[in-house]
Amino acid sequence: MDRSYRLSRRAFGAGLLGAGIAGAAPAQAQFGGLGNLVRSVTNEIGLDRVFGGEEPITTNLTDAVWGNPSLDGVDPPLAPAPMTSLERTDEGGFVLQPGYWQFVAQSYCLHAGTHGPGGGDGYLYAPLEGSREEAIRDILRNSVQHPEIEQRDIQTLIWAILARAKFEDLSNEHKLVAAQLLTRRQLATLNRSALDLVPSGAMSSLVGEVPAPLRAAFRAEAALRNGLAGGASYSELESIAVLTGAVPMGEGSIAVPSGRWSDHPDGYRIRYYPSGYSRTEVHIWCEEGSAGAGKRFDPSVQVAVPGNTARQRLAQSGREKV
């Protein structure tokens, strides 16, 4: 989500918060009897946290400042070698050496209610950030030590975090996955959010008041919460989170061709070639004598951000997609 989206989302929360504080007759009429709900939530945690506050993952195009257009169409003067031949780190990453390295990573949707990769749109590097950065990072890192866990179960867990779902509403299978990849402290933190205080019927009414540009994301998150609580299949959750059909140019988009390099702040170059949201080919170019030699490439703390903001932001793990 770009910065303007975040700010407008916060502004809507603040406006709704103000309506609850006022409690005047016009506000009561506008929200159809939700005035008491608005005030009760406001008094406890502030309604700004329901429709505003910091998102679980905030990384967006304005964070992807390392793209290097001068290298468009440029390939290293050597064939790529498999990144899996490098020394692995305890976090499931790789210790970089000079050369041109390639890794096909399992990747994950980080923005429900948007379109998957395609159409020649390029992706840029940005760091993983947000209020649930630690949990998403640890899920990705710890999944490397649990190859028996299906990728779709990991994605379901990530969608639950992004949608701020109640973990106690997840299936027993997904509770087990969560227990394997997250600590008890993290699970306790994730199991409660401001959204728990709003009944589902009231939430539907509130979402109806959301400005049109924000409504699709709110509805996708609400639909994911309901689907997870109701035991929806993976394909049903996927149809909610990953849009199909014609792809618009999202607000704040920029032209990024496929395969654009980003100059990573650790001293190497990186580019992404997604094939759908669940598979991303990662290329790293670490030149001889560069600061990148000896640095650790940790996929779990990096995000591939599309130039078109209507497409998915993608996380990667150190698990190879086969």
Side-chain angles (χ1 to χ4, degrees), residues 150-207:
E150 295 287 339
Q151 183 180 4
R152 60 176 48 196
D153 291 330
I154 298 168
Q155 178 66 80
T156 299
L157 189 56
I158 290 173
W159 278 332
I161 292 173
L162 297 178
R164 303 181 225 201
K166 295 171 64 175
F167 272 57
E168 63 190 33
D169 287 342
L170 300 182
S171 68
N172 289 333
E173 178 183 6
H174 288 117
K175 287 177 184 176
L176 177 60
V177 170
Q180 291 175 287
L181 300 178
L182 294 168
T183 66
R184 289 185 178 180
R185 177 188 62 81
Q186 289 170 326
L187 289 172
T189 300
L190 292 168
N191 201 45
R192 284 289 181 268
S193 77
L195 293 170
D196 296 344
L197 299 175
V198 184
S200 58
M203 178 61 73
S204 298
S205 298
L206 291 174
V207 168

Short mmCIF file of all heavy atoms in Angstrom, two decimals, residues 150-207:
data_model
loop_
_atom_site.label_atom_id
_atom_site.label_comp_id
_atom_site.label_asym_id
_atom_site.label_seq_id
_atom_site.Cartn_x
_atom_site.Cartn_y
_atom_site.Cartn_z
N GLU A 150 3.42 -27.49 4.24
CA GLU A 150 3.08 -27.09 2.88
C GLU A 150 3.14 -25.56 2.72
O GLU A 150 2.78 -24.81 3.65
CB GLU A 150 1.67 -27.57 2.52
CG GLU A 150 1.50 -29.08 2.48
CD GLU A 150 2.18 -29.68 1.24
OE1 GLU A 150 2.40 -28.94 0.26
OE2 GLU A 150 2.47 -30.88 1.28
N GLN A 151 3.57 -25.11 1.56
CA GLN A 151 3.65 -23.68 1.29
C GLN A 151 2.29 -23.01 1.47
O GLN A 151 2.20 -21.90 2.00
CB GLN A 151 4.20 -23.41 -0.11
CG GLN A 151 4.38 -21.92 -0.41
CD GLN A 151 4.94 -21.65 -1.80
OE1 GLN A 151 5.14 -22.58 -2.59
NE2 GLN A 151 5.19 -20.39 -2.11
N ARG A 152 1.23 -23.66 1.05
CA ARG A 152 -0.09 -23.04 1.16
C ARG A 152 -0.52 -22.87 2.62
O ARG A 152 -1.26 -21.93 2.93
CB ARG A 152 -1.14 -23.85 0.39
CG ARG A 152 -1.33 -25.28 0.84
CD ARG A 152 -2.46 -25.95 0.06
NE ARG A 152 -2.33 -25.74 -1.38
CZ ARG A 152 -3.30 -25.93 -2.26
NH1 ARG A 152 -4.50 -26.35 -1.84
NH2 ARG A 152 -3.12 -25.73 -3.54
N ASP A 153 -0.03 -23.73 3.52
CA ASP A 153 -0.34 -23.55 4.94
C ASP A 153 0.40 -22.34 5.51
O ASP A 153 -0.12 -21.64 6.38
CB ASP A 153 0.00 -24.81 5.72
CG ASP A 153 -0.91 -25.97 5.38
OD1 ASP A 153 -2.07 -25.73 5.04
OD2 ASP A 153 -0.45 -27.14 5.45
N ILE A 154 1.62 -22.12 5.01
CA ILE A 154 2.37 -20.93 5.42
C ILE A 154 1.69 -19.67 4.90
O ILE A 154 1.53 -18.69 5.63
CB ILE A 154 3.82 -21.02 4.91
CG1 ILE A 154 4.53 -22.24 5.52
CG2 ILE A 154 4.60 -19.74 5.23
CD1 ILE A 154 5.86 -22.57 4.88
N GLN A 155 1.24 -19.71 3.65
CA GLN A 155 0.54 -18.56 3.09
C GLN A 155 -0.75 -18.27 3.85
O GLN A 155 -1.08 -17.11 4.12
CB GLN A 155 0.22 -18.80 1.61
CG GLN A 155 -0.55 -17.69 0.94
CD GLN A 155 0.22 -16.39 0.82
OE1 GLN A 155 1.05 -16.22 -0.06
NE2 GLN A 155 -0.05 -15.44 1.72
N THR A 156 -1.48 -19.32 4.22
CA THR A 156 -2.71 -19.13 4.99
C THR A 156 -2.43 -18.43 6.30
O THR A 156 -3.17 -17.53 6.73
CB THR A 156 -3.40 -20.48 5.25
OG1 THR A 156 -3.74 -21.08 4.00
CG2 THR A 156 -4.67 -20.30 6.07
N LEU A 157 -1.34 -18.82 6.96
CA LEU A 157 -0.95 -18.19 8.22
C LEU A 157 -0.62 -16.71 8.00
O LEU A 157 -1.01 -15.85 8.80
CB LEU A 157 0.25 -18.94 8.81
CG LEU A 157 0.69 -18.59 10.22
CD1 LEU A 157 -0.43 -18.75 11.22
CD2 LEU A 157 1.89 -19.45 10.61
N ILE A 158 0.07 -16.41 6.92
CA ILE A 158 0.40 -15.01 6.61
C ILE A 158 -0.87 -14.22 6.32
O ILE A 158 -1.03 -13.08 6.80
CB ILE A 158 1.38 -14.95 5.43
CG1 ILE A 158 2.75 -15.49 5.87
CG2 ILE A 158 1.51 -13.53 4.88
CD1 ILE A 158 3.76 -15.62 4.74
N TRP A 159 -1.80 -14.80 5.57
CA TRP A 159 -3.06 -14.10 5.32
C TRP A 159 -3.82 -13.84 6.61
O TRP A 159 -4.44 -12.80 6.78
CB TRP A 159 -3.93 -14.91 4.36
CG TRP A 159 -3.57 -14.72 2.91
CD1 TRP A 159 -3.00 -13.61 2.35
CD2 TRP A 159 -3.77 -15.66 1.85
NE1 TRP A 159 -2.83 -13.81 1.00
CE2 TRP A 159 -3.28 -15.04 0.66
CE3 TRP A 159 -4.29 -16.95 1.78
CZ2 TRP A 159 -3.32 -15.69 -0.58
CZ3 TRP A 159 -4.33 -17.59 0.55
CH2 TRP A 159 -3.85 -16.97 -0.62
N ALA A 160 -3.76 -14.78 7.54
CA ALA A 160 -4.43 -14.58 8.83
C ALA A 160 -3.86 -13.38 9.56
O ALA A 160 -4.59 -12.59 10.17
CB ALA A 160 -4.31 -15.84 9.69
N ILE A 161 -2.54 -13.22 9.49
CA ILE A 161 -1.90 -12.07 10.15
C ILE A 161 -2.27 -10.78 9.44
O ILE A 161 -2.61 -9.78 10.07
CB ILE A 161 -0.37 -12.26 10.19
CG1 ILE A 161 -0.01 -13.43 11.12
CG2 ILE A 161 0.33 -10.98 10.65
CD1 ILE A 161 1.45 -13.79 11.10
N LEU A 162 -2.21 -10.79 8.12
CA LEU A 162 -2.53 -9.58 7.35
C LEU A 162 -3.97 -9.14 7.58
O LEU A 162 -4.27 -7.94 7.62
CB LEU A 162 -2.29 -9.82 5.87
CG LEU A 162 -0.86 -10.14 5.43
CD1 LEU A 162 -0.81 -10.40 3.94
CD2 LEU A 162 0.10 -9.01 5.81
N ALA A 163 -4.88 -10.12 7.73
CA ALA A 163 -6.30 -9.81 7.93
C ALA A 163 -6.64 -9.59 9.40
O ALA A 163 -7.79 -9.29 9.72
CB ALA A 163 -7.16 -10.95 7.38
N ARG A 164 -5.66 -9.74 10.29
CA ARG A 164 -5.86 -9.58 11.74
C ARG A 164 -6.95 -10.53 12.24
O ARG A 164 -7.84 -10.15 13.00
CB ARG A 164 -6.18 -8.14 12.07
CG ARG A 164 -5.12 -7.16 11.61
CD ARG A 164 -5.43 -5.75 11.97
NE ARG A 164 -5.19 -4.88 10.84
CZ ARG A 164 -4.98 -3.56 10.93
NH1 ARG A 164 -4.98 -2.98 12.10
NH2 ARG A 164 -4.77 -2.83 9.86
N ALA A 165 -6.85 -11.77 11.77
CA ALA A 165 -7.81 -12.79 12.18
C ALA A 165 -7.48 -13.29 13.59
O ALA A 165 -6.35 -13.16 14.07
CB ALA A 165 -7.77 -13.96 11.20
N LYS A 166 -8.48 -13.85 14.26
CA LYS A 166 -8.28 -14.46 15.57
C LYS A 166 -7.68 -15.84 15.37
O LYS A 166 -8.28 -16.69 14.70
CB LYS A 166 -9.61 -14.55 16.31
CG LYS A 166 -10.22 -13.20 16.64
CD LYS A 166 -11.63 -13.34 17.19
CE LYS A 166 -11.64 -14.08 18.51
NZ LYS A 166 -13.01 -14.10 19.08
N PHE A 167 -6.54 -16.09 15.94
CA PHE A 167 -5.87 -17.37 15.72
C PHE A 167 -6.64 -18.52 16.35
O PHE A 167 -6.54 -19.65 15.89
CB PHE A 167 -4.43 -17.30 16.24
CG PHE A 167 -3.48 -16.80 15.21
CD1 PHE A 167 -3.67 -15.55 14.61
CD2 PHE A 167 -2.41 -17.56 14.79
CE1 PHE A 167 -2.81 -15.09 13.64
CE2 PHE A 167 -1.53 -17.10 13.82
CZ PHE A 167 -1.73 -15.86 13.24
N GLU A 168 -7.43 -18.23 17.36
CA GLU A 168 -8.22 -19.30 17.97
C GLU A 168 -9.33 -19.77 17.03
O GLU A 168 -9.90 -20.84 17.23
CB GLU A 168 -8.80 -18.85 19.30
CG GLU A 168 -9.77 -17.68 19.19
CD GLU A 168 -10.14 -17.11 20.55
OE1 GLU A 168 -9.29 -17.12 21.46
OE2 GLU A 168 -11.27 -16.64 20.68
N ASP A 169 -9.63 -18.97 15.98
CA ASP A 169 -10.64 -19.36 15.00
C ASP A 169 -10.07 -20.20 13.87
O ASP A 169 -10.84 -20.68 13.02
CB ASP A 169 -11.32 -18.11 14.40
CG ASP A 169 -12.25 -17.43 15.39
OD1 ASP A 169 -12.63 -18.09 16.38
OD2 ASP A 169 -12.59 -16.26 15.16
N LEU A 170 -8.75 -20.35 13.81
CA LEU A 170 -8.15 -21.14 12.74
C LEU A 170 -8.42 -22.63 12.94
O LEU A 170 -8.73 -23.08 14.05
CB LEU A 170 -6.64 -20.90 12.69
CG LEU A 170 -6.16 -19.47 12.43
CD1 LEU A 170 -4.64 -19.44 12.36
CD2 LEU A 170 -6.78 -18.90 11.17
N SER A 171 -8.27 -23.39 11.88
CA SER A 171 -8.43 -24.84 11.99
C SER A 171 -7.33 -25.41 12.88
O SER A 171 -6.28 -24.78 13.09
CB SER A 171 -8.35 -25.48 10.60
OG SER A 171 -7.02 -25.35 10.09
N ASN A 172 -7.55 -26.60 13.41
CA ASN A 172 -6.53 -27.24 14.25
C ASN A 172 -5.24 -27.44 13.47
O ASN A 172 -4.13 -27.32 14.03
CB ASN A 172 -7.05 -28.58 14.77
CG ASN A 172 -8.14 -28.42 15.81
OD1 ASN A 172 -8.19 -27.40 16.52
ND2 ASN A 172 -9.01 -29.40 15.93
N GLU A 173 -5.36 -27.73 12.19
CA GLU A 173 -4.17 -27.92 11.36
C GLU A 173 -3.35 -26.64 11.29
O GLU A 173 -2.11 -26.66 11.43
CB GLU A 173 -4.59 -28.34 9.95
CG GLU A 173 -3.43 -28.53 8.98
CD GLU A 173 -3.89 -28.88 7.59
OE1 GLU A 173 -5.12 -28.88 7.33
OE2 GLU A 173 -3.03 -29.15 6.74
N HIS A 174 -4.02 -25.51 11.11
CA HIS A 174 -3.29 -24.26 11.01
C HIS A 174 -2.81 -23.76 12.36
O HIS A 174 -1.79 -23.07 12.44
CB HIS A 174 -4.15 -23.21 10.30
CG HIS A 174 -4.31 -23.48 8.84
ND1 HIS A 174 -5.53 -23.75 8.26
CD2 HIS A 174 -3.40 -23.57 7.84
CE1 HIS A 174 -5.36 -23.96 6.97
NE2 HIS A 174 -4.09 -23.88 6.69
N LYS A 175 -3.50 -24.11 13.42
CA LYS A 175 -2.98 -23.81 14.76
C LYS A 175 -1.68 -24.54 15.00
O LYS A 175 -0.74 -23.99 15.61
CB LYS A 175 -4.01 -24.20 15.82
CG LYS A 175 -5.22 -23.29 15.90
CD LYS A 175 -6.21 -23.82 16.94
CE LYS A 175 -7.47 -23.00 16.99
NZ LYS A 175 -8.48 -23.55 17.91
N LEU A 176 -1.59 -25.79 14.54
CA LEU A 176 -0.36 -26.56 14.69
C LEU A 176 0.77 -25.93 13.89
O LEU A 176 1.91 -25.83 14.37
CB LEU A 176 -0.60 -28.00 14.23
CG LEU A 176 0.63 -28.93 14.26
CD1 LEU A 176 1.19 -29.05 15.67
CD2 LEU A 176 0.26 -30.31 13.71
N VAL A 177 0.47 -25.48 12.67
CA VAL A 177 1.48 -24.81 11.85
C VAL A 177 1.98 -23.56 12.57
O VAL A 177 3.19 -23.31 12.65
CB VAL A 177 0.91 -24.46 10.47
CG1 VAL A 177 1.87 -23.55 9.70
CG2 VAL A 177 0.63 -25.72 9.67
N ALA A 178 1.05 -22.78 13.11
CA ALA A 178 1.42 -21.56 13.81
C ALA A 178 2.31 -21.86 15.01
O ALA A 178 3.29 -21.15 15.27
CB ALA A 178 0.17 -20.80 14.26
N ALA A 179 1.99 -22.92 15.74
CA ALA A 179 2.77 -23.29 16.93
C ALA A 179 4.18 -23.73 16.56
O ALA A 179 5.11 -23.58 17.36
CB ALA A 179 2.06 -24.41 17.69
N GLN A 180 4.36 -24.25 15.35
CA GLN A 180 5.69 -24.68 14.91
C GLN A 180 6.54 -23.52 14.43
O GLN A 180 7.77 -23.60 14.48
CB GLN A 180 5.55 -25.72 13.79
CG GLN A 180 5.00 -27.05 14.24
CD GLN A 180 4.77 -27.99 13.06
OE1 GLN A 180 3.84 -27.81 12.27
NE2 GLN A 180 5.64 -28.97 12.93
N LEU A 181 5.91 -22.45 13.97
CA LEU A 181 6.65 -21.37 13.33
C LEU A 181 6.74 -20.10 14.17
O LEU A 181 7.56 -19.23 13.88
CB LEU A 181 6.03 -21.03 11.98
CG LEU A 181 5.99 -22.17 10.95
CD1 LEU A 181 5.31 -21.71 9.67
CD2 LEU A 181 7.41 -22.68 10.65
N LEU A 182 5.91 -20.00 15.21
CA LEU A 182 5.89 -18.80 16.04
C LEU A 182 6.04 -19.16 17.51
O LEU A 182 5.72 -20.28 17.93
CB LEU A 182 4.58 -18.04 15.84
CG LEU A 182 4.34 -17.44 14.45
CD1 LEU A 182 2.89 -16.99 14.32
CD2 LEU A 182 5.29 -16.30 14.18
N THR A 183 6.52 -18.22 18.31
CA THR A 183 6.65 -18.44 19.75
C THR A 183 5.31 -18.24 20.43
O THR A 183 4.37 -17.66 19.87
CB THR A 183 7.66 -17.45 20.35
OG1 THR A 183 7.14 -16.12 20.23
CG2 THR A 183 9.00 -17.52 19.63
N ARG A 184 5.21 -18.69 21.67
CA ARG A 184 3.98 -18.48 22.44
C ARG A 184 3.69 -17.00 22.61
O ARG A 184 2.53 -16.58 22.57
CB ARG A 184 4.11 -19.16 23.81
CG ARG A 184 4.09 -20.68 23.76
CD ARG A 184 4.11 -21.26 25.15
NE ARG A 184 4.04 -22.72 25.13
CZ ARG A 184 4.04 -23.49 26.21
NH1 ARG A 184 4.08 -22.92 27.42
NH2 ARG A 184 3.97 -24.80 26.11
N ARG A 185 4.72 -16.22 22.82
CA ARG A 185 4.53 -14.77 22.97
C ARG A 185 3.94 -14.18 21.70
O ARG A 185 3.01 -13.36 21.76
CB ARG A 185 5.87 -14.10 23.29
CG ARG A 185 5.77 -12.57 23.38
CD ARG A 185 7.15 -11.92 23.51
NE ARG A 185 7.98 -12.18 22.36
CZ ARG A 185 7.90 -11.51 21.20
NH1 ARG A 185 6.99 -10.56 21.04
NH2 ARG A 185 8.72 -11.80 20.21
N GLN A 186 4.48 -14.58 20.56
CA GLN A 186 3.96 -14.06 19.30
C GLN A 186 2.52 -14.49 19.08
O GLN A 186 1.68 -13.68 18.64
CB GLN A 186 4.84 -14.54 18.14
CG GLN A 186 6.21 -13.87 18.10
CD GLN A 186 7.15 -14.52 17.11
OE1 GLN A 186 7.11 -15.74 16.90
NE2 GLN A 186 8.01 -13.72 16.49
N LEU A 187 2.21 -15.74 19.39
CA LEU A 187 0.84 -16.22 19.22
C LEU A 187 -0.13 -15.45 20.12
O LEU A 187 -1.23 -15.09 19.70
CB LEU A 187 0.77 -17.71 19.52
CG LEU A 187 1.42 -18.63 18.48
CD1 LEU A 187 1.46 -20.06 18.98
CD2 LEU A 187 0.67 -18.57 17.16
N ALA A 188 0.29 -15.20 21.36
CA ALA A 188 -0.57 -14.46 22.28
C ALA A 188 -0.82 -13.05 21.78
O ALA A 188 -1.93 -12.52 21.87
CB ALA A 188 0.06 -14.44 23.67
N THR A 189 0.22 -12.42 21.22
CA THR A 189 0.09 -11.07 20.70
C THR A 189 -0.83 -11.02 19.49
O THR A 189 -1.66 -10.12 19.34
CB THR A 189 1.47 -10.51 20.32
OG1 THR A 189 2.31 -10.49 21.47
CG2 THR A 189 1.35 -9.10 19.77
N LEU A 190 -0.71 -12.02 18.62
CA LEU A 190 -1.47 -12.03 17.38
C LEU A 190 -2.92 -12.45 17.58
O LEU A 190 -3.77 -12.20 16.72
CB LEU A 190 -0.82 -12.98 16.37
CG LEU A 190 0.54 -12.53 15.82
CD1 LEU A 190 1.21 -13.68 15.07
CD2 LEU A 190 0.37 -11.34 14.91
N ASN A 191 -3.22 -13.09 18.69
CA ASN A 191 -4.56 -13.65 18.87
C ASN A 191 -5.60 -12.61 19.25
O ASN A 191 -6.78 -12.91 19.28
CB ASN A 191 -4.53 -14.76 19.93
CG ASN A 191 -5.72 -15.69 19.78
OD1 ASN A 191 -6.05 -16.10 18.68
ND2 ASN A 191 -6.37 -16.01 20.88
N ARG A 192 -5.17 -11.40 19.56
CA ARG A 192 -6.13 -10.36 19.91
C ARG A 192 -5.80 -9.09 19.14
O ARG A 192 -4.65 -8.71 19.00
CB ARG A 192 -6.10 -10.06 21.42
CG ARG A 192 -6.80 -11.13 22.25
CD ARG A 192 -8.31 -11.07 22.06
NE ARG A 192 -8.98 -12.07 22.86
CZ ARG A 192 -9.29 -13.28 22.43
NH1 ARG A 192 -8.94 -13.65 21.21
NH2 ARG A 192 -9.92 -14.13 23.20
N SER A 193 -6.80 -8.44 18.65
CA SER A 193 -6.62 -7.16 17.98
C SER A 193 -7.84 -6.30 18.23
O SER A 193 -8.84 -6.75 18.79
CB SER A 193 -6.42 -7.35 16.47
OG SER A 193 -7.66 -7.63 15.84
N ALA A 194 -7.77 -5.05 17.82
CA ALA A 194 -8.90 -4.14 17.98
C ALA A 194 -10.14 -4.67 17.27
O ALA A 194 -11.25 -4.40 17.68
CB ALA A 194 -8.53 -2.77 17.42
N LEU A 195 -9.94 -5.43 16.21
CA LEU A 195 -11.09 -5.92 15.44
C LEU A 195 -11.94 -6.89 16.25
O LEU A 195 -13.11 -7.08 15.95
CB LEU A 195 -10.59 -6.61 14.17
CG LEU A 195 -9.92 -5.67 13.15
CD1 LEU A 195 -9.26 -6.48 12.05
CD2 LEU A 195 -10.94 -4.72 12.56
N ASP A 196 -11.35 -7.54 17.26
CA ASP A 196 -12.12 -8.49 18.06
C ASP A 196 -13.27 -7.82 18.80
O ASP A 196 -14.24 -8.48 19.18
CB ASP A 196 -11.20 -9.17 19.10
CG ASP A 196 -10.12 -10.02 18.45
OD1 ASP A 196 -10.26 -10.32 17.25
OD2 ASP A 196 -9.15 -10.35 19.13
N LEU A 197 -13.17 -6.51 19.03
CA LEU A 197 -14.18 -5.81 19.81
C LEU A 197 -15.38 -5.39 18.98
O LEU A 197 -16.36 -4.89 19.51
CB LEU A 197 -13.55 -4.55 20.46
CG LEU A 197 -12.39 -4.82 21.42
CD1 LEU A 197 -11.81 -3.50 21.89
CD2 LEU A 197 -12.85 -5.67 22.60
N VAL A 198 -15.29 -5.60 17.66
CA VAL A 198 -16.37 -5.17 16.78
C VAL A 198 -17.13 -6.39 16.27
O VAL A 198 -16.55 -7.24 15.60
CB VAL A 198 -15.82 -4.37 15.57
CG1 VAL A 198 -16.96 -3.85 14.71
CG2 VAL A 198 -14.96 -3.22 16.07
N PRO A 199 -18.41 -6.55 16.57
CA PRO A 199 -19.19 -7.67 16.06
C PRO A 199 -19.18 -7.68 14.53
O PRO A 199 -19.11 -6.64 13.89
CB PRO A 199 -20.60 -7.40 16.60
CG PRO A 199 -20.39 -6.48 17.76
CD PRO A 199 -19.19 -5.66 17.44
N SER A 200 -19.28 -8.88 13.95
CA SER A 200 -19.18 -9.02 12.50
C SER A 200 -20.25 -8.21 11.77
O SER A 200 -19.99 -7.59 10.74
CB SER A 200 -19.27 -10.49 12.08
OG SER A 200 -20.49 -11.05 12.54
N GLY A 201 -21.47 -8.17 12.29
CA GLY A 201 -22.51 -7.40 11.65
C GLY A 201 -22.21 -5.92 11.65
O GLY A 201 -22.43 -5.22 10.66
N ALA A 202 -21.70 -5.44 12.76
CA ALA A 202 -21.33 -4.03 12.85
C ALA A 202 -20.16 -3.71 11.94
O ALA A 202 -20.10 -2.64 11.32
CB ALA A 202 -21.00 -3.66 14.30
N MET A 203 -19.21 -4.65 11.83
CA MET A 203 -18.07 -4.44 10.94
C MET A 203 -18.53 -4.26 9.51
O MET A 203 -18.04 -3.40 8.77
CB MET A 203 -17.09 -5.60 11.05
CG MET A 203 -15.87 -5.46 10.12
SD MET A 203 -14.88 -4.00 10.46
CE MET A 203 -14.10 -4.50 11.99
N SER A 204 -19.51 -5.06 9.08
CA SER A 204 -20.02 -4.92 7.72
C SER A 204 -20.60 -3.54 7.49
O SER A 204 -20.41 -2.93 6.44
CB SER A 204 -21.09 -5.99 7.46
OG SER A 204 -20.55 -7.29 7.55
N SER A 205 -21.31 -3.02 8.49
CA SER A 205 -21.87 -1.68 8.36
C SER A 205 -20.78 -0.62 8.29
O SER A 205 -20.85 0.32 7.50
CB SER A 205 -22.79 -1.39 9.55
OG SER A 205 -23.87 -2.29 9.57
N LEU A 206 -19.75 -0.79 9.11
CA LEU A 206 -18.66 0.18 9.11
C LEU A 206 -17.89 0.16 7.79
O LEU A 206 -17.53 1.20 7.26
CB LEU A 206 -17.71 -0.09 10.27
CG LEU A 206 -18.26 0.18 11.67
CD1 LEU A 206 -17.27 -0.26 12.73
CD2 LEU A 206 -18.57 1.66 11.83
N VAL A 207 -17.65 -1.05 7.25
CA VAL A 207 -16.94 -1.15 5.98
C VAL A 207 -17.73 -0.45 4.89
O VAL A 207 -17.16 0.14 3.97
CB VAL A 207 -16.68 -2.63 5.61
CG1 VAL A 207 -16.21 -2.76 4.17
CG2 VAL A 207 -15.65 -3.24 6.55
#
